[in-house]
Amino acid sequence: MVHPARQELLAEQHARYIVEFSQNKDSFEYFATEHFRLSGVYWGLTALHLLGRQAALDGAEIVAWVLRCQRPCGGFGGSERHDAHLLYTLSALQILALYDELDCVDVDTVARYVASLQQPDGSFWGDEWGETDTRFSYCALSALWLLDRLHAVDVPAAAAYVAACKNFDGGFGCTPGNESHAGQVFTCVAALDIAGRLDLIDRDLLCWWLCERQTRSGGLNGRPEKLQDVCYSWWCLSALSILGRLHWIDQAALTDFILDCQDEDGGGISDRPEDQVDVYHTFFGIAGLSLMGRPGLAPIDPTFALPVEVVDRLRERRREPVAAAAEAPVA
Amino acid sequence: MHGRPRQKAGPPDPERVKAAQKKAALFGQLSAEVLERRAAKRYDAESLALAGKLLELHPEVYTVWNYRREALQPVLDAGGEAAVAAVAGELALTERALHKNPKSYATWHHRRWAVAKGFCSLERELQLVGQLLEADERNFHGWGYRRFIVQLMGTPAARELEYAEHKINQNFSNYSAWHSRTALLPELHGGGGDGGEDAGAAAALSSALAAARLGAEASAAAAGTATAPAAGDAGHPAEQPSQQQPSQQQAEAQPAAQPRRPPPAGASSATAAVPKEALDEEYELVKQAFFTEPEDQSGWFYHRWLLGCSLAHWERARGTTEEAAERAALLAVLAREEQTCQELLEVEPDAKWPLLTLTRLRELERQVLRSSSSGGGKSSGSGAGASGSEAGSSGAGASGSEAGSSGAGASGSEAGSSGAGAGVGDGGSSAGGGAGLAAEIAGGYARLIELDSLRRGYYEDARDGRAHVVAKPSAAAAAQ
């Protein structure tokens, strides 16, 4: 059923698509994506890493640009001209982690920015303007874990807030009382994983809800009675993977769906077959294939959405006494 | 791009390319102009109009919403007619922006910010979001915004429950509306399971107010002027003046010095708070959905929650004088619901949802029968079941990966399954439910594997006692 030209992962074309997209600075998309460019770069770069082609982009240039996106408050804006926000602070740290350049930032300044956004009920604002969402709980905990500064916030309160967003179907919404959504499920499950509180999840119930996201097409949707979309290959699959239930979906069918969303002409992956490709879906398609153990792709960590190699490197370093002493918290 | 058809390769149409380049250049110029004025802190009408123009074209540019808030905050703090006019302007702008992109997080947040200032009619907001949900019935931003407004207005849960029923009757597949009932019913009947009375409502309100905090400050600061919030929200915002926007200085001075409030309790897990009579009405409502749209999953997920609530009544009565009566009531519910599933299966023998539900009803029945045969109350098996669950399920997870899970199943499963693996196996059925029930359950899952092979891995785990979505091993149930 997969288009004859899309039977294989078109790694070369995807890498070329990502590089060309990042270099085309005249398109409408270039301007329209300016406010979240740090996330766009993170998606493209991580995809290239998984494809083993990270050398296709100039790392020194990217790291220098990332640092220019940092605001005096310690947080990062979506690009040089934009305000600090947790979403882009996490993207910035993820990019620096990919290049093993986290030392370029003042860890405690960034950690203080993140901590300043935690609220008395354990939730996080995205920025000083007060939007509350469990997406930001994930951004905060993931960012602090990358910085090895989890203790800068009240982690039990953060976990309790996420748990309060749990719904009747075992899924999670953006604030208490809001409907479950697979994207939100990823952020909440991963946040609880970082907090060491996976026990707060109704594991079987949630994973059943997640496996019901697979439609006859083989693709996954994000909520009941919605259309399948490649990006849920990440949102649903990462949660299933963290919870040890990847085998509850038909992985062969999902693989075919993702492959069929490839553009064999220009490279890249779209939300559904024959739609226009973009970097976001290209990354989430490749990341989904990586979670399913696709040969030729580096494995991705389901909690931190970074190559396992990068996460392992950070873990290793923390275990080494010298590194531990160097990174010890300032009391 | 979401839902945008791919353009086939070939020589590009020069006219089209030219138009695209022009559009890009214009947008780039507008962005540059707006961001420069922002950097220069220009808060005049012309600058704000340009910012508004940009947001109408591209509502997700959060920095430009920040720009408008910076500019308008002093106006709103001062209150009076200028504040009323400013809020009206923001409402009109966000309405146009939502027309462009009804899922724009940044726009919805800006509207909440403006509304929380208290210079507008909440009734009108309710009406507008009602219109949006007529056109876009699953928009979760719209549902969340509605919840925000009714909480500000202090609307009783009963009225919102009527609204949810209205939406369900329009379309039985409206999962958002079913979800809404699971949050409202416990609230109507006195709070969620573990949080005490009103915990769910309080949690939701606290969350809504978090977004509105700056508005509260403004209202408090300008108390006495014409800043009284619109009708119906006498008890709302201004009582949180102590919450402050985290300034940079504060953040650096005392990173984690905020007082901690107890976290909000989960609102809608299965609960015995909803009385059995009310549950019966819900079973009747969802039955109508089954007979109208038997293949739609929304009602079935809701039904599973109802079963959890029925089960909770029995669980709560365990070891009390009411246990026998609750047990009988639960068995009667199970029998009635099994009957409904059987009727649906007579019409359509291969229907997955009634078959899955029937199989789960039988699992529940077996659980109830088993527990009573082992002496009722605190069964002696519960301790063993609990201690066995860790090892049992982790082993099961590994051995259960025959469906080609590529080894990833092991990656994150430190805590194992929530249920005890072997506890509910064949030994259990012979103790109470009888071999017939066990065979029907196994047969149900075997048929589901044929009918719905995508979820084979789940059905196998459920069949083999490694997954528990409704019925639970007694140990797990007793522990809750």
Side-chain angles (χ1 to χ4, degrees):
Chain A
M1 296 263 277
V2 181
H3 187 288
R6 305 172 190 162
Q7 303 281 340
E8 293 302 320
L9 179 66
L10 307 172
E12 207 53 61
Q13 284 98 314
H14 298 325
R16 204 178 321 126
Y17 164 75
I18 292 166
V19 172
E20 279 171 12
F21 178 82
S22 72
Q23 289 166 349
N24 178 358
K25 299 186 175 173
D26 300 318
S27 69
F28 177 72
E29 279 67 33
Y30 180 80
F31 292 109
T33 57
E34 179 189 336
H35 67 283
F36 64 91
R37 187 156 303 139
L38 261 176
S39 295
V41 169
Y42 153 73
W43 295 325
L45 203 53
T46 309
L48 287 176
H49 258 261
L50 298 177
L51 292 165
R53 287 164 169 81
Q54 58 269 40
L57 290 178
D58 181 343
E61 193 187 313
I62 290 175
V63 168
W65 173 75
V66 168
L67 296 175
R68 288 201 301 277
C69 297
Q70 190 174 22
R71 303 280 82 89
C73 64
F76 289 75
S79 57
E80 286 159 286
R81 298 191 292 189
H82 287 271
D83 291 351
H85 195 286
L86 270 183
L87 287 170
Y88 312 112
T89 301
L90 175 59
S91 294
L93 297 177
Q94 286 169 317
I95 295 170
L96 295 176
L98 282 166
Y99 285 115
D100 198 12
E101 295 281 8
L102 281 167
D103 293 345
C104 291
V105 293
D106 183 286
V107 166
D108 289 304
T109 305
V110 184
R112 266 198 299 272
Y113 169 74
V114 175
S116 75
L117 295 169
Q118 190 174 31
Q119 302 306 304
D121 63 1
S123 68
F124 284 85
W125 287 358
D127 62 15
E128 62 185 283
W129 292 102
E131 187 181 4
T132 308
D133 191 311
T134 44
R135 286 179 300 149
F136 310 145
S137 301
Y138 170 71
C139 290
L141 294 184
S142 188
L144 291 175
W145 187 88
L146 291 175
L147 296 169
D148 200 12
R149 287 293 182 280
L150 261 186
H151 61 268
V153 295
D154 186 340
V155 175
Y161 181 81
V162 170
C165 296
K166 188 164 72 178
N167 288 317
F168 80 108
D169 45 27
F172 294 84
C174 49
T175 56
N178 270 293
E179 183 181 346
S180 301
H181 180 288
Q184 220 78 38
V185 166
F186 158 72
T187 63
C188 291
V189 170
L192 290 174
D193 189 23
I194 297 169
R197 291 307 308 273
L198 287 179
D199 62 299
L200 293 173
I201 294 170
D202 290 333
R203 191 180 292 243
D204 288 343
L205 176 58
L206 171 57
C207 290
W208 172 60
W209 186 84
L210 286 169
C211 80
E212 280 293 344
R213 300 304 103 242
Q214 189 163 33
T215 72
R216 286 195 184 92
S217 68
L220 306 174
N221 63 20
R223 293 190 285 159
E225 308 303 329
K226 289 285 197 176
L227 279 178
Q228 56 279 357
D229 181 325
V230 156
C231 65
Y232 297 110
S233 309
W234 172 260
W235 305 123
C236 296
L237 225 52
S238 56
L240 285 168
S241 175
I242 292 168
L243 296 171
R245 299 287 185 279
L246 215 46
H247 63 288
W248 282 15
I249 61 148
D250 186 330
Q251 297 177 63
L254 176 59
T255 298
D256 282 352
F257 175 79
I258 298 172
L259 291 177
D260 206 27
C261 290
Q262 299 180 105
D263 183 344
E264 67 276 19
D265 295 324
I269 299 175
S270 52
D271 58 350
R272 285 181 284 281
E274 315 310 333
D275 277 355
Q276 212 170 309
V277 303
D278 57 56
V279 172
Y280 173 87
H281 288 94
T282 303
F283 166 57
F284 287 120
I286 291 171
L289 293 171
S290 166
L291 275 180
M292 292 188 285
R294 178 101 188 157
L297 287 178
I300 187 165
D301 183 280
T303 300
F304 296 103
L306 285 168
V308 166
E309 178 200 349
V310 171
V311 176
D312 281 352
R313 186 171 64 212
L314 290 171
R315 282 207 179 99
E316 275 307 311
R317 203 165 295 163
R318 283 167 204 180
R319 266 189 229 116
E320 290 165 19
V322 179
E327 290 182 307
V330 181
Chain B
M1 299 296 157
H2 277 118
R4 207 178 296 169
R6 195 174 287 174
Q7 287 158 4
K8 273 293 124 192
D13 175 359
E15 285 300 310
R16 221 174 156 151
V17 170
K18 215 171 142 189
Q21 282 170 346
K22 195 177 166 195
K23 184 182 166 196
L26 280 175
F27 188 79
Q29 282 166 19
L30 180 60
S31 295
E33 180 68 29
V34 169
L35 292 171
E36 274 164 30
R37 285 173 186 241
R38 194 279 176 107
K41 298 190 189 306
R42 287 183 58 178
Y43 300 141
D44 55 281
E46 186 195 75
S47 299
L48 288 185
L50 275 178
K53 183 77 197 155
L54 176 69
L55 290 167
E56 278 183 54
L57 286 170
H58 199 20
E60 273 293 85
V61 189
Y62 68 102
T63 303
V64 179
W65 290 115
N66 293 350
Y67 176 22
R68 292 189 73 84
R69 286 191 284 264
E70 268 169 19
L72 294 172
Q73 183 121 16
V75 179
L76 300 181
D77 288 351
E81 279 178 27
V84 173
V87 168
E90 296 315 284
L91 294 182
L93 174 62
T94 49
E95 204 174 321
R96 291 193 297 274
L98 288 174
H99 197 72
K100 173 91 181 175
N101 178 5
K103 296 174 177 177
S104 163
Y105 285 93
T107 309
W108 283 107
H109 178 62
H110 189 72
R111 196 173 181 96
R112 287 182 195 224
W113 175 84
V115 165
K117 300 289 184 184
F119 296 103
C120 64
S121 158
L122 295 177
E123 283 294 348
R124 182 169 174 274
E125 289 304 294
L126 197 59
Q127 209 183 339
L128 280 174
V129 77
Q131 285 169 14
L132 177 129
L133 290 173
E134 289 296 306
D136 186 7
E137 62 182 14
R138 291 292 304 284
N139 185 324
F140 68 84
H141 300 275
W143 281 94
Y145 186 71
R146 186 181 175 92
R147 210 159 11 251
F148 168 73
I149 295 297
V150 301
Q151 279 158 3
L152 290 182
M153 294 175 81
T155 307
R159 214 179 106 188
E160 277 308 282
L161 214 47
E162 276 172 30
Y163 178 74
E165 186 164 351
H166 160 70
K167 296 305 287 179
I168 287 168
N169 285 327
Q170 279 182 342
N171 179 6
F172 282 120
S173 320
N174 191 335
Y175 190 85
S176 306
W178 291 110
H179 159 82
S180 171
R181 290 187 84 73
T182 68
L184 290 163
L185 277 167
E187 190 184 321
L188 177 70
H189 295 287
D194 45 10
E197 294 211 349
D198 298 330
L205 183 60
S206 120
S207 158
L209 285 174
R213 234 164 252 170
L214 301 173
E217 269 180 76
S219 302
T225 65
T227 58
D233 43 350
H236 117 272
E239 71 257 314
Q240 299 218 351
S242 63
Q243 300 299 333
Q244 294 192 347
Q245 174 184 345
S247 71
Q248 215 178 300
Q249 296 89 323
Q250 272 182 326
E252 291 185 54
Q254 24 178 233
Q258 293 159 319
R260 294 285 172 229
R261 258 185 295 164
S268 56
S269 49
T271 170
V274 185
K276 292 196 290 291
E277 302 70 35
L279 289 174
D280 283 341
E281 288 176 27
E282 298 304 307
Y283 279 116
E284 185 55 36
L285 177 66
V286 79
K287 183 177 168 181
Q288 292 171 37
F290 297 156
F291 280 92
T292 314
E293 306 261 1
E295 289 302 304
D296 181 277
Q297 45 179 259
S298 307
W300 295 104
F301 274 102
Y302 187 69
H303 188 265
R304 193 221 62 85
W305 179 71
L306 293 178
L307 287 176
C309 294
S310 294
L311 182 63
H313 279 279
W314 174 59
E315 297 284 359
R316 192 172 63 169
R318 300 289 294 275
T320 73
T321 53
E322 292 167 35
E323 177 169 0
E326 290 294 351
R327 178 175 174 275
L330 177 58
L331 285 171
V333 167
L334 298 182
R336 183 189 67 203
E337 297 306 305
E338 282 182 27
Q339 179 63 31
T340 299
C341 292
Q342 298 278 20
E343 284 169 27
L344 286 161
L345 285 167
E346 275 163 30
V347 181
E348 177 52 77
D350 287 342
K352 161 193 163 177
W353 289 98
L355 179 58
L356 173 60
T357 305
L358 179 62
T359 305
R360 288 175 171 172
L361 285 162
R362 286 170 170 158
E363 287 181 314
L364 264 180
E365 195 185 337
R366 181 172 62 173
Q367 180 189 335
V368 178
L369 295 175
R370 256 185 87 208
S371 73
S372 59
S373 71
S374 67
K378 283 137 189 140
S379 82
S380 58
S382 64
S387 64
S389 73
E390 289 291 314
S393 60
S394 59
S399 69
S401 59
E402 58 174 44
S405 78
S406 76
S411 64
S413 61
E414 38 139 354
S417 140
S418 60
V424 89
D426 303 331
S429 60
S430 60
L437 208 45
E440 281 174 338
I441 293 165
Y445 282 121
R447 184 81 186 109
L448 284 162
I449 289 169
E450 291 170 28
L451 292 175
D452 186 28
S453 61
L454 289 175
R455 277 158 281 275
R456 177 190 192 95
Y458 160 64
Y459 295 129
E460 286 175 346
D461 279 358
R463 178 195 64 195
D464 298 342
R466 291 189 296 264
H468 307 278
V469 167
V470 186
K472 291 171 181 164
S474 55
Q480 286 194 346

